[in-house]
């Protein structure tokens, strides 16, 4: 009788445990979903929202392709050298206190040369943009721009879909080249609560795709500064 009672008690405990586990699953799922929403997208090892100091401390991940690749940023004296001009953002970005960074390596034949950053198996040029919100200690990564051959766009998008799932949106619009010929430009977008990836088949021209990684909180700061003509700190002077 005692043995039978023990079996019954064990069964009750098991049922209760299963019930509690099932009850906890929706909460766990919600917690995981919230965590995913709060995790910003990254370009390889460079996650949106990291500080400029953290960015410079991360080793370039493709050293075999570009030995000893190093970042040059527009707030450095050497960025004035024309060989590092790619690190300098447009003047209107500078007025918004944006710092640009680009990778270079020392070519034995040509001296300082641009270093790419692989996306899938493609070597693509990537620029990193930083901005410091009012009251923050240092600039943070808010925009990553990657460019590559437009003919590789569909292949790259397949890789992105495998990594991030179905896009949040996908659309087409018409663009023209300098000769007036019309082309269908595809824009594919993934996003979560704090960041997005926007991939254009044609960027500045029909030869190059462009993929923008944006950090929403600081994109808002950037757009406000562009509209207002400068940073909040500058207006206090």
């Amino acid at each position: 009788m005692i043995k039978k009672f023990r079996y019954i008690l064990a069964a009750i405990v098991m049922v209760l445990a299963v019930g509690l586990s099932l009850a906890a699953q929706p909460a766990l799922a919600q917690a995981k979903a919230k965590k995913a929403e709060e995790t910003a997208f990254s370009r390889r090892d460079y996650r949106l929202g990291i500080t400029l100091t953290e960015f410079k401390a991360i080793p370039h991940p493709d050293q075999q392709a570009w030995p000893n690749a190093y970042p040059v940023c527009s707030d450095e004296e050497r960025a004035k050298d024309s060989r590092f001009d790619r690190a300098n953002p447009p003047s209107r970005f500078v007025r918004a206190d944006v710092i640009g960074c680009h990778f270079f390596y020392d070519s034995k034949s040509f001296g300082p040369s641009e270093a790419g950053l692989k996306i899938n198996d493609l070597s693509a040029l990537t620029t990193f943009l930083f901005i410091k919100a009012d009251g923050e200690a240092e600039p943070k990564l808010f925009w990553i721009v990657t460019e590559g051959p437009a003919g590789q766009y569909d292949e790259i998008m397949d890789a992105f879909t495998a990594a991030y799932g179905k896009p949040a949106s996908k659309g087409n619009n018409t663009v023209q080249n300098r000769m007036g010929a019309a082309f269908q430009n595809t824009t594919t977008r993934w996003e979560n609560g704090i960041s997005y990836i926007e991939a254009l088949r044609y960027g500045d021209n029909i030869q190059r795709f462009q993929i923008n990684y944006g950090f929403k909180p600081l994109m808002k700061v950037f757009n406000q500064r562009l509209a207002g003509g400068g940073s909040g700190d500058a207006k206090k002077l």
Side-chain angles (χ1 to χ4, degrees), residues 110-127:
F110 305 103
S113 303
E114 292 184 59
L117 188 65
K118 288 187 180 295
I119 181 168
N120 206 10
D121 292 324
L122 175 68
S123 300
L125 295 177
T126 301
T127 299

Side-chain angles (χ1 to χ4, degrees), residues 10 13 19 60 77 117-118 130 146 149 176 182:
V13 171
H60 189 280
E77 185 65 26
L117 188 65
K118 288 187 180 295
F130 297 78
T146 292
Q176 290 184 327

Side-chain angles (χ1 to χ4, degrees), residues 11-31:
I12 292 172
V13 171
M14 183 176 293
V15 169
L16 287 173
V18 171
L20 289 171
S21 175
L22 290 173
Q25 284 182 7
L28 288 172
Q30 290 177 1

